[in-house]
mmCIF file of all heavy atoms in Angstrom:
data_model
loop_
_atom_site.group_PDB
_atom_site.id
_atom_site.type_symbol
_atom_site.label_atom_id
_atom_site.label_comp_id
_atom_site.label_asym_id
_atom_site.label_seq_id
_atom_site.Cartn_x
_atom_site.Cartn_y
_atom_site.Cartn_z
ATOM 1 N N ALA A 1100 -25.984 -32.045 11.600
ATOM 2 C CA ALA A 1100 -24.666 -32.204 12.082
ATOM 3 C C ALA A 1100 -23.700 -31.318 11.427
ATOM 4 O O ALA A 1100 -22.774 -30.746 12.040
ATOM 5 C CB ALA A 1100 -24.241 -33.648 11.983
ATOM 6 N N LEU A 1111 -14.785 -20.662 16.213
ATOM 7 C CA LEU A 1111 -13.347 -20.872 16.520
ATOM 8 C C LEU A 1111 -12.504 -20.071 15.565
ATOM 9 O O LEU A 1111 -11.546 -19.393 15.931
ATOM 10 C CB LEU A 1111 -13.060 -22.376 16.401
ATOM 11 C CG LEU A 1111 -11.586 -22.729 16.542
ATOM 12 C CD1 LEU A 1111 -11.071 -22.377 17.973
ATOM 13 C CD2 LEU A 1111 -11.410 -24.275 16.314
ATOM 14 N N CYS A 1133 -13.181 -45.231 3.408
ATOM 15 C CA CYS A 1133 -12.679 -46.597 3.821
ATOM 16 C C CYS A 1133 -13.496 -47.256 4.859
ATOM 17 O O CYS A 1133 -13.012 -48.021 5.625
ATOM 18 C CB CYS A 1133 -11.239 -46.463 4.213
ATOM 19 S SG CYS A 1133 -10.129 -46.064 2.855
ATOM 20 N N THR A 1134 -14.840 -46.990 4.910
ATOM 21 C CA THR A 1134 -15.720 -47.677 5.727
ATOM 22 C C THR A 1134 -16.951 -48.126 4.906
ATOM 23 O O THR A 1134 -16.906 -47.943 3.719
ATOM 24 C CB THR A 1134 -16.227 -46.784 6.921
ATOM 25 O OG1 THR A 1134 -16.941 -45.661 6.386
ATOM 26 C CG2 THR A 1134 -15.074 -46.244 7.721
ATOM 27 N N ALA A 1146 -16.096 -29.792 1.238
ATOM 28 C CA ALA A 1146 -17.403 -29.437 0.711
ATOM 29 C C ALA A 1146 -18.332 -28.822 1.814
ATOM 30 O O ALA A 1146 -19.024 -27.889 1.589
ATOM 31 C CB ALA A 1146 -18.079 -30.556 0.049
ATOM 32 N N GLN A 1198 -9.599 -33.306 -6.845
ATOM 33 C CA GLN A 1198 -8.804 -33.282 -8.068
ATOM 34 C C GLN A 1198 -8.122 -32.003 -8.375
ATOM 35 O O GLN A 1198 -7.134 -31.949 -9.080
ATOM 36 C CB GLN A 1198 -9.639 -33.723 -9.271
ATOM 37 C CG GLN A 1198 -10.893 -32.907 -9.499
ATOM 38 C CD GLN A 1198 -11.729 -33.419 -10.620
ATOM 39 O OE1 GLN A 1198 -11.220 -34.023 -11.575
ATOM 40 N NE2 GLN A 1198 -13.035 -33.244 -10.481
ATOM 41 N N THR A 1215 10.175 -29.624 1.476
ATOM 42 C CA THR A 1215 8.778 -30.063 1.338
ATOM 43 C C THR A 1215 7.837 -29.235 2.304
ATOM 44 O O THR A 1215 6.762 -28.856 1.945
ATOM 45 C CB THR A 1215 8.615 -31.551 1.502
ATOM 46 O OG1 THR A 1215 9.586 -32.142 0.713
ATOM 47 C CG2 THR A 1215 7.231 -32.035 1.149
#
Side-chain angles (χ1 to χ4, degrees):
L1111 177 60
C1133 292
T1134 65
Q1198 58 185 327
T1215 308

